[in-house]
Amino acid sequence: VCVNMPGSCYGSISPLDSNTASDKIFYHDFPFLTIKDMVAMYKHLKDYLGIANIHIGLGGSMGGQQLLEWAVTEPALFSFIIPIATNAFHSPWAIAFNATQRLCIEMDNTWKNKIENAGIEGMKTARAIALLSYRSYETYNKNQRDNNNNTVNNFKSESYQRYQGEKLAKRFNAFSYYFLGKSMDSHNVGRARVSIEKALSQITAATLVIGIKTDLLFPINEQQFLADNINGASLQIIDSPYGHDGFLLEFEQIEKAVKLFLEKKIILEKIPQLNN
């Protein structure tokens, strides 16, 4: 089961949907949703589907933030959780990236208009900025290097940045992009709880934390913090040249890490039975 997050334009509810109270499209008036709000909505769906227990919860990046919040809110729900390239709270560094992207959208002179494509050019620039945080020096050096030493204009990496903005604009809108970034910035499992550490200690699911060695946006120390504060958690570092996007691209390494983790946990659970 993979639930579409509220605010996205791929389903559920988005800024381009109508407010049932006024029958007017939300646009800029879309309600602000925290990660905790999103999890509360997922709980309603879980109950509607009659799901009493979840064997494995898995999520990367913003999905990992939601997974952690859910595992804190309902510790008994999950047997295993596997948060990937994520954190316990969104860092000032990551918030600054999102805020800069929103500034790009706000600078688009169409942004204030109540039309579907408002802010779309600003979103293209925002996407180009985001990509710098998703990848790494090594990624660009390997894939976007110009082979002609005489190149002085129209660089390969420049056209790549433009292409990524155009590509996203064909399937997304600036409203969803804007509000999902704000939701991500709100992430903090310690909010309205004693502390971040205390909140993480409430997680009872067997936990495998996976980090990407070259991740600039969610650096390894954030996954180490999770592993240090979730009881019995294991930490696996994936070596990848792709930076944060490694959580999407390194599926073979992640699959291997998950399988080994689950096999080890299942064997350990059976040992007391064997001894009896």
Side-chain angles (χ1 to χ4, degrees):
V1 178
C2 185
V3 183
N4 180 72
M5 66 181 72
S8 166
C9 55
Y10 293 131
S12 182
I13 185 171
S14 84
L16 296 182
D17 288 326
S18 296
N19 184 336
T20 54
S22 64
D23 202 32
K24 294 181 179 179
I25 297 175
F26 285 110
Y27 292 122
H28 310 82
D29 298 322
F30 187 71
F32 172 59
L33 299 172
T34 66
I35 296 296
K36 186 179 290 187
D37 292 330
M38 292 179 174
V39 167
M41 297 173 80
Y42 301 157
K43 287 169 64 179
H44 286 295
L45 177 61
K46 175 207 68 175
D47 294 340
Y48 176 79
L49 294 175
I51 299 173
N53 302 102
I54 297 175
H55 188 59
I56 301 173
L58 187 149
S61 194
M62 190 175 182
Q65 294 176 339
Q66 295 173 21
L67 175 62
L68 290 167
E69 175 62 41
W70 204 348
V72 170
T73 304
E74 291 189 282
L77 179 63
F78 299 92
S79 298
F80 299 90
I81 62 167
I82 305 170
I84 306 171
T86 192
N87 52 22
F89 62 94
H90 216 40
S91 69
W93 167 252
I95 292 171
F97 264 109
N98 284 345
T100 303
Q101 293 172 62
R102 289 194 293 273
L103 287 173
C104 292
I105 294 173
E106 291 169 2
M107 289 298 290
D108 186 323
N109 60 14
T110 68
W111 173 238
K112 292 183 179 180
N113 297 332
K114 293 186 176 182
I115 55 174
E116 184 174 335
N117 288 328
I120 201 70
E121 294 300 321
M123 189 192 74
K124 293 177 185 178
T125 304
R127 180 64 170 180
I129 291 172
L131 205 67
L132 298 176
S133 69
Y134 299 156
R135 302 293 171 86
S136 68
Y137 175 93
E138 289 78 11
T139 312
Y140 278 84
N141 207 35
K142 178 181 178 181
N143 299 322
Q144 305 305 326
R145 180 191 288 272
D146 290 278
N147 297 323
N148 185 351
N149 291 331
N150 296 317
T151 301
V152 295
N153 202 353
N154 297 320
F155 294 101
K156 190 175 180 180
S157 59
E158 180 180 2
S159 64
Y160 181 70
Q161 295 299 96
R162 293 183 183 276
Y163 165 73
Q164 289 296 333
E166 295 289 344
K167 182 181 177 181
L168 182 68
K170 292 178 180 179
R171 64 178 179 85
F172 221 71
N173 67 77
F175 293 100
S176 286
Y177 198 98
Y178 191 95
F179 285 106
L180 287 176
K182 289 181 72 68
S183 295
M184 194 176 203
D185 292 347
S186 76
H187 173 59
N188 188 325
V189 296
R191 184 178 297 110
R193 300 179 176 118
V194 175
S195 67
I196 295 170
E197 292 84 355
K198 181 68 174 178
L200 292 175
S201 72
Q202 294 174 214
I203 295 175
T204 59
T207 303
L208 171 64
V209 181
I210 298 179
I212 311 296
K213 190 174 183 179
T214 53
D215 194 338
L216 300 176
L217 194 58
F218 293 79
I220 293 301
N221 65 287
E222 295 193 331
Q223 287 88 62
Q224 184 67 62
F225 180 82
L226 292 173
D228 289 344
N229 288 282
I230 297 174
N231 294 324
S234 300
L235 175 64
Q236 178 70 48
I237 306 301
I238 300 297
D239 194 4
S240 170
Y242 297 111
H244 183 58
D245 272 356
F247 90 92
L248 296 170
L249 301 172
E250 300 290 356
F251 48 88
E252 290 183 357
Q253 288 195 66
I254 292 172
E255 180 184 7
K256 181 179 179 181
V258 171
K259 282 185 175 180
L260 289 174
F261 171 73
L262 294 176
E263 288 170 359
K264 181 180 178 181
K265 286 294 183 181
I266 291 171
I267 290 172
L268 289 174
E269 288 175 359
K270 289 182 178 179
I271 286 176
Q273 298 175 16
L274 294 173
N275 291 337
N276 291 333

